[in-house]
Amino acid sequence: MHNRGDERCDYAEMLSLLKIRNLALVERLDWEIGAGLVGVTGETGAGKSVIVGALKLILGERADKGLIRTGEDTCHVEAIFELQDPSGVNRLLAEMGLEVCEDGQLLIKRVIGTSSNRQFVNNSPATLSVLKAIGGNLVDLHGPHDHQSLLSVDRQLIMLDAYAGVEREVEQYRLCWSSWREAEVRWRELRDAEEAGEQELELLKHQVAEIEAAEIDPEGESELQERYQRASNSAKLVGVAAEALNLVTGDGAGVLDRVQEIQRLVGEIEKHDPAARQWTAGVTTAAVEMEDFSRELERYLGEIDLDPGQAAALEDRVDLLESLKRKYGPSLDEVVESGARAAERLGAVENRGELLAKLEAEATSAHRAMMEAGSNLSGKRRKAGPKLAREIRQHLAELGFRQAAFEVNQQPQPDPSSQGLDAIEFSFGPNPGEPLKPLRQIASSGEISRVMLSIKSALARQDQTPLMVFDEIDANVGGEVARAVGEKMAILGGAHQVVAITHFPQVAALASQHFLVEKTVAEGRTTSSLKEVRGDERIAELTRMLGGQSEEARLMAKSLLTSAPVSA
């Protein structure tokens, strides 16, 4: 069934469409939702809980294949959110590598199968943790047993900060706290580390001195190796070079003399046959090259040093460098780096006291800055706390707790945390003369539901969550209080889209839209459906909720609608 309310949103942050396929008793539902307070009613067991279940799936709650409608292989849930400012959600999507909202429209889809489950954000596959992260910015869901976030002192602190408008101060404090923690860790690590022993100190000194004394030049290593090889084989080189020179110039029968004799004979040929010059030029070239070769051999012999002392010095140098490479690294570059590290460590050890004093001063300065930022934040929280408590008490009185007490307790913590210098906790006392107790100690779901609604009402201007869902939080309250609960929800509907699943006609009558969940049986199958009720159909539903079909009940239903700020 396709349903749409004709109320248009005067704010653009809302759930615009919820699609359900084959979820529990719902075979097919396309629910287009308008703005303001949206009431959902129906008899017990009609299937109202399916709507909440579908939203929980969108918010990343784990699914069970038992949710799939009997006879089907899969069920689908799809939600479209219209976001006027999608920057916050887009930042999350970008961090998670997902497609951002180009037109301000966010699509979340879950597919539950008998063998596997899948989820998508803007048609890109996503994980349940992604849905939870995104959903926390989109939907605030409250039921008779869904108040754990309200009971968390961390969440209460966030609420107080939102009310106080101290986002900038909180960020400034957190930056100071992080800087202090980092400085404190650096100082403590050095302070608590074992002092370097005499053995380590001597080893470091030896390493630095040994490497520095070697005066290593990694770029000159190749030249040194060549010189060493030449010096090591100098005697053999002299003998071979001398023998070669003798073959070139020796005793008039060397190669040079023979080439020169050939050159003379060729000259005679050229004199009598000039055309022969075409093939005789190479003899002259050979003679010139052989002369040059003989001179280079003589130079080479003169340069070879047969001094055993120099050869021994080169050998010692090579042995030293090879020894350093074995100890500190396979290359001379790594030997040099090892020396630099040892020198740095030696400096740290020798100047440990100076460095420790420097780090302690940095930690002290960072602590002072943190305490200043924390004191400023604490002061603003202390100023805002009583005002928030006063507003919440006013809302509580309107919800039936006429003499209830509510306090925002702020106590200094023994140690600063990332959230500030204080511990914040909300306390509530429904009965005069009884001591106030922390919210986490309230056992009555009826009480905690109304306290939650009071807090939400007080923070309506600061809460940026587009959709609030209240699932029968008006349970266990009387008619007059139920009317007050509905009025609070309607007021919240001025700043948020509010869906109220309720059994109370006083609440449903205040809704800008009223949807009825019905259960029907056809051909042996049970199906839940949802439709918007208006006019006579709405009066009939309110009459049923009032407990009968009498004319008195019908007149009462009309009266509720007539007196509602927003009527059908």
Side-chain angles (χ1 to χ4, degrees):
M1 180 175 289
H2 185 78
N3 299 283
R4 179 185 179 91
D6 59 3
E7 293 287 338
R8 299 316 306 155
C9 192
D10 56 352
Y11 47 86
E13 303 279 331
M14 61 183 290
L15 171 68
S16 61
L17 176 65
L18 181 66
K19 287 185 178 182
I20 301 174
R21 299 290 185 272
N22 299 319
L23 179 65
L25 296 179
V26 175
E27 180 179 8
R28 179 184 181 89
L29 173 66
D30 292 342
W31 188 24
E32 294 188 55
I33 317 170
L37 173 60
V38 179
V40 179
T41 65
E43 294 182 354
T44 301
K48 299 186 297 298
S49 61
V50 175
I51 294 174
V52 174
L55 287 172
K56 286 183 176 181
L57 290 176
I58 291 298
L59 298 178
E61 184 172 287
R62 293 197 173 275
D64 187 278
K65 63 182 180 180
L67 295 171
I68 303 172
R69 182 172 168 79
T70 303
E72 302 294 335
D73 296 325
T74 60
C75 69
H76 302 242
V77 178
E78 183 176 319
I80 296 178
F81 291 88
E82 304 290 344
L83 305 175
Q84 183 178 26
D85 179 12
S87 57
V89 170
N90 279 344
R91 191 160 46 248
L92 280 173
L93 293 175
E95 290 173 358
M96 297 169 182
L98 296 174
E99 182 181 343
V100 299
C101 308
E102 296 292 346
D103 55 359
Q105 193 174 80
L106 175 70
L107 170 65
I108 301 177
K109 183 177 181 180
R110 290 288 300 274
V111 180
I112 314 302
T114 54
S115 58
S116 64
N117 301 332
R118 292 170 294 159
Q119 43 276 331
F120 304 88
V121 176
N122 288 340
N123 295 316
S124 298
T127 63
L128 290 181
S129 60
V130 170
L131 265 58
K132 289 179 180 178
I134 298 172
N137 293 282
L138 300 174
V139 182
D140 199 351
L141 195 154
H142 298 279
H145 306 290
D146 294 320
H147 304 295
Q148 292 307 309
S149 63
L150 179 66
L151 305 183
S152 162
V153 292
D154 290 338
R155 180 62 181 165
Q156 292 169 13
L157 178 58
I158 292 172
M159 291 176 181
L160 174 61
D161 286 346
Y163 182 83
V166 291
E167 291 81 3
R168 184 181 302 176
E169 287 81 357
V170 169
E171 181 62 24
Q172 179 63 32
Y173 170 80
R174 284 177 177 165
L175 290 173
C176 292
W177 182 83
S178 296
S179 298
W180 168 66
R181 288 293 299 159
E182 291 173 4
E184 186 82 359
V185 167
R186 289 195 300 269
W187 172 60
R188 290 184 183 277
E189 283 182 348
L190 183 61
R191 186 197 66 180
D192 297 339
E194 293 184 5
E195 294 188 14
E198 189 66 27
Q199 185 177 3
E200 181 191 6
L201 190 62
E202 291 303 316
L203 177 60
L204 289 170
K205 288 180 179 178
H206 168 74
Q207 290 173 342
V208 171
E210 184 179 39
I211 295 174
E212 287 181 350
E215 297 181 348
I216 298 171
D217 177 17
E219 295 181 359
E221 185 179 13
S222 297
E223 181 185 351
L224 174 65
Q225 290 290 347
E226 291 175 2
R227 290 173 57 202
Y228 171 64
Q229 290 294 328
R230 190 163 59 246
S232 300
N233 298 282
S234 58
K236 183 176 182 180
L237 291 173
V238 167
V240 172
E243 184 178 354
L245 183 60
N246 183 58
L247 290 174
V248 174
T249 60
D251 298 331
V255 173
L256 180 58
D257 289 338
R258 291 177 180 274
V259 171
Q260 289 173 342
E261 178 62 20
I262 293 171
Q263 185 181 22
R264 185 185 66 76
L265 295 173
V266 167
E268 290 293 322
I269 294 173
E270 292 174 349
K271 185 167 61 175
H272 299 290
D273 184 4
R277 291 173 181 164
Q278 296 178 1
W279 52 268
T280 60
V283 174
T284 300
T285 301
V288 171
E289 290 181 351
M290 194 56 64
E291 287 179 0
D292 289 343
F293 180 62
S294 66
R295 284 194 293 271
E296 288 297 322
L297 273 175
E298 290 175 352
R299 181 193 60 76
Y300 182 69
L301 279 166
E303 289 180 352
I304 294 176
D305 193 346
L306 292 174
D307 181 5
Q310 184 183 27
L314 288 170
E315 183 177 7
D316 291 343
R317 177 66 177 173
V318 170
D319 288 345
L320 171 63
L321 296 182
E322 291 299 319
S323 174
L324 291 175
K325 286 196 286 187
R326 286 192 298 271
K327 291 172 66 175
Y328 301 109
S331 70
L332 290 183
D333 284 326
E334 290 177 290
V335 173
V336 173
E337 290 177 8
S338 294
R341 288 195 298 270
E344 182 179 3
R345 172 62 180 161
L346 180 61
V349 172
E350 290 180 332
N351 299 299
R352 184 174 178 275
E354 180 181 342
L355 179 59
L356 190 62
K358 177 185 176 183
L359 293 180
E360 184 177 13
E362 290 177 357
T364 300
S365 176
H367 183 268
R368 187 182 305 113
M370 177 198 64
M371 292 301 294
E372 290 177 0
S375 296
N376 179 46
L377 177 58
S378 294
K380 295 193 173 184
R381 285 172 172 169
R382 195 170 293 109
K383 185 177 180 180
K387 292 182 180 179
L388 175 59
R390 200 157 45 243
E391 280 199 43
I392 292 173
R393 284 196 297 270
Q394 180 179 343
H395 289 291
L396 284 169
E398 294 168 359
L399 291 175
F401 293 110
R402 302 194 182 282
Q403 294 181 296
F406 188 96
E407 298 293 343
V408 176
N409 298 315
Q410 182 174 348
Q411 298 293 334
Q413 295 186 107
D415 298 305
S417 73
S418 61
Q419 297 175 314
L421 308 179
D422 318 295
I424 303 295
E425 186 161 29
F426 295 171
S427 295
F428 174 63
N431 302 308
E434 296 294 325
L436 277 70
K437 295 181 180 180
L439 290 187
R440 53 190 163 81
Q441 296 182 14
I442 298 177
S444 167
S445 61
E447 287 182 345
I448 194 63
S449 295
R450 282 183 282 167
V451 171
M452 178 274 299
L453 186 56
S454 298
I455 293 173
K456 285 291 180 183
S457 298
L459 294 168
R461 294 185 301 275
Q462 291 79 24
D463 196 333
Q464 301 299 313
T465 309
L467 172 62
M468 293 184 178
V469 180
F470 298 103
D471 181 16
E472 299 185 0
I473 70 160
D474 49 13
N476 304 318
V477 298
E480 182 181 347
V481 173
R483 177 76 177 186
V485 168
E487 289 174 349
K488 293 296 179 188
M489 291 184 188
I491 293 171
L492 283 174
H496 305 268
Q497 185 184 39
V498 178
V499 173
I501 299 171
T502 180
H503 283 294
F504 275 85
Q506 296 92 332
V507 175
L510 292 167
S512 57
Q513 291 175 268
H514 185 169
F515 290 89
L516 172 63
V517 179
E518 293 181 305
K519 184 167 63 175
T520 58
V521 179
E523 298 180 358
R525 295 296 305 275
T526 302
T527 302
S528 287
S529 61
L530 180 145
K531 69 175 183 179
E532 184 174 6
V533 289
R534 304 181 183 183
D536 289 342
E537 284 188 322
R538 187 171 187 184
I539 292 173
E541 171 60 9
L542 292 176
T543 301
R544 180 198 66 78
M545 297 174 72
L546 285 165
Q549 297 298 324
S550 66
E551 184 61 25
E552 183 180 357
R554 182 176 175 81
L555 290 174
M556 178 64 72
K558 286 184 176 181
S559 174
L560 288 175
L561 286 174
T562 302
S563 61
V566 178
S567 68

